[in-house]
Every structure is written in C-alpha cells, then in structure tokens.
Amino acid sequence: DAGVIQSPRHEVTEMGQEVTLRCKPISGHNSLFWYRQTMMRGLELLIYFNNNVPIDDSGMPEDRFSAKMPNASFSTLKIQPSEPRDSAVYFCASSLRSGGTYEQYFGPGTRLTVT
Amino acid sequence: AQTVTQSQPEMSVQEAETVTLSCTYDTSESDYYLFWYKQPPSRQMILVIRQEAYKQQNATENRFSVNFQKAAKSFSLKISDSQLGDAAMYFCAYRSVIQGAQKLVFGQGTRLTINP
C-alpha cells in the first residue's frame, strides 16, 4: 500500500497568497484527519471527515481556513489569505472506521512557510 | 475535554539500556484508547504501540511496552535495549470511543536521545 500521500512536501509562500494542501488517504479508509504541528501548540486537530462528510471542524482556526473532501480518495486544505502565523507542518491521516482501534495512519506532512 | 501531559521535554539514555517515558491524561470517560507515536527527524508519525483501556494487560511490541495504570490515568512507555534508531520525538495520544470523537489528543512530546 502506498500509504497516505500529501503534496506538496514543502511550500513557501508570501503573506496574502492562497495555499492549497492536498491529501490522498489510504485506499479503503473512510475517515480522514487534518492536523497541524507547531512548536507553540504542538499537534492539534483541525478537521476530520467520515465518509467524506465533515464531522468536527472545531479546530479550524478561522474563516481563512477551509477543507473539502469531494470524494473518498482526495481532500484539500486551503488557506486564503495566508499569514506568517500559519507556518507549520500540516499532517493528513486516515483510518478505517470499523470495529477495532481505528488506528490513524499519517502522511509525511507538508511544511508550510509563510513569509 | 481530554488532556494529555508529558512532563519530560527531553530524555537521554545510553545505547542498550532501558528508558521510560511518562504520560498522564485526564478524562471522564471509562473506555478509550491510548497510543504512543514516534516522530523521527524525517517528521513521519509512526505508531509504536496502542492500549485499549478496557484491557488490563499491558501492551507489548517487541522492545516496547507500556505500563497502563487506569486509576492513576498514567500511560508510560518503556523502551528496552535502546538502539540509535530509537532517537526521536515521542508523543502520547488519547482517543475517545465515542462516535464523532475520533480525533487524537496529543501530549507535547518527549525528545529522546540515544548516546552511543
């Protein structure tokens, strides 16, 4: 299995620009999570989907952030306009929502730098 | 809301020795899952070990084992025969079993250094 795929791996952009992060979950998984990692706040959930439907978006910082999952194999996290405080590593994770521990498998992350 | 606390920002151990990383958590739920994740410099999050709260037996995965004390809300990770490849950030995480609450709640992490 290819694992969770994220693109780009690195993104450098200027303040005010739109940024789109992409994620392809593991085939067959029906839950998808977006996490953000910063030195100050650690790892925190932004939003997660079950069967392409957003379930919990309470971690989305503000209206500048939006996430979509148009189908079971693709999700995007968009920041518009971007600000320097959005600089972080953004992880996508997926899991199989069935009996068991619902283990989450993480992608390699996207390191975002906003100057 | 659940919280996870890792009180050791950094730990170091000699290669081949044993080290224990601490984790405590706060929850009002009676059933839940606990995890330890490893994050090496590549920043990939790798699951090390999991524990179901309803199981009294401590989980073990090769050189990794946990000491799960449910009443004390403590979940420590023991690494035996430490290897250079074990050097990484280690995160303790909590997950509820409640439908619609599948997110992982992470501690702040412990940076583990292995001395050759």
Side-chain angles (χ1 to χ4, degrees):
Chain A
D1 198 322
V4 176
I5 299 173
Q6 291 187 248
S7 64
R9 293 293 307 277
H10 303 274
E11 178 78 29
V12 180
T13 191
E14 293 183 347
M15 182 174 63
Q17 297 297 306
E18 178 179 294
V19 175
T20 299
L21 310 182
R22 297 172 176 80
C23 175
K24 176 179 171 56
I26 292 173
S27 178
H29 283 191
N30 52 7
S31 292
L32 184 139
F33 306 79
W34 283 100
Y35 291 91
R36 180 172 67 175
Q37 184 177 31
T38 62
M39 287 296 293
M40 291 297 295
R41 299 176 65 89
L43 276 155
E44 53 183 351
L45 180 80
L46 298 176
I47 185 170
Y48 84 89
F49 298 83
N50 279 347
N51 296 319
N52 312 337
V53 176
I55 301 299
D56 180 358
D57 65 354
S58 59
M60 295 287 266
E62 49 201 89
D63 292 345
R64 297 185 299 106
F65 284 68
S66 63
K68 294 182 179 180
M69 192 164 186
N71 57 62
S73 59
F74 184 66
S75 177
T76 60
L77 178 67
K78 186 175 294 185
I79 308 172
Q80 166 64 21
S82 58
E83 297 182 2
R85 59 189 168 128
D86 301 330
S87 297
V89 178
Y90 292 81
F91 287 100
C92 177
S94 71
S95 72
L96 182 61
R97 184 170 172 265
S98 64
T101 59
Y102 303 171
E103 181 176 318
Q104 294 182 23
Y105 295 84
F106 282 74
T110 295
R111 179 178 293 280
L112 173 65
T113 302
V114 183
T115 60
Chain B
Q2 295 82 21
T3 59
V4 177
T5 302
Q6 293 178 248
S7 59
Q8 305 154 315
E10 296 183 352
M11 292 281 285
S12 64
V13 64
Q14 291 296 124
E15 189 177 5
E17 295 189 347
T18 296
V19 63
T20 298
L21 308 184
S22 300
C23 172
T24 59
Y25 58 94
D26 188 31
T27 184
S28 59
E29 299 173 351
S30 59
D31 197 13
Y32 45 86
Y33 296 108
L34 296 166
F35 304 86
W36 278 96
Y37 278 87
K38 170 185 177 181
Q39 187 178 40
S42 67
R43 77 169 180 254
Q44 178 73 52
M45 294 290 288
I46 303 166
L47 179 66
V48 174
I49 198 165
R50 71 177 71 82
Q51 175 79 42
E52 293 92 335
Y54 65 85
K55 290 186 177 179
Q56 293 186 337
Q57 186 174 5
N58 289 324
T60 298
E61 289 287 343
N62 300 314
R63 298 182 295 107
F64 299 86
S65 61
V66 299
N67 183 4
F68 173 49
Q69 301 290 326
K70 189 172 184 180
K73 297 180 181 176
S74 171
F75 183 60
S76 61
L77 174 69
K78 186 172 80 171
I79 306 174
S80 303
D81 186 24
S82 300
Q83 300 176 0
L84 295 178
D86 295 333
M89 284 289 290
Y90 285 81
F91 293 94
C92 179
Y94 172 103
R95 190 180 67 74
S96 173
V97 301
I98 295 174
Q99 290 282 358
Q102 295 177 39
K103 69 178 183 182
L104 290 170
V105 177
F106 288 93
Q108 286 298 98
T110 297
R111 182 176 302 280
L112 178 63
T113 301
I114 311 296
N115 300 314

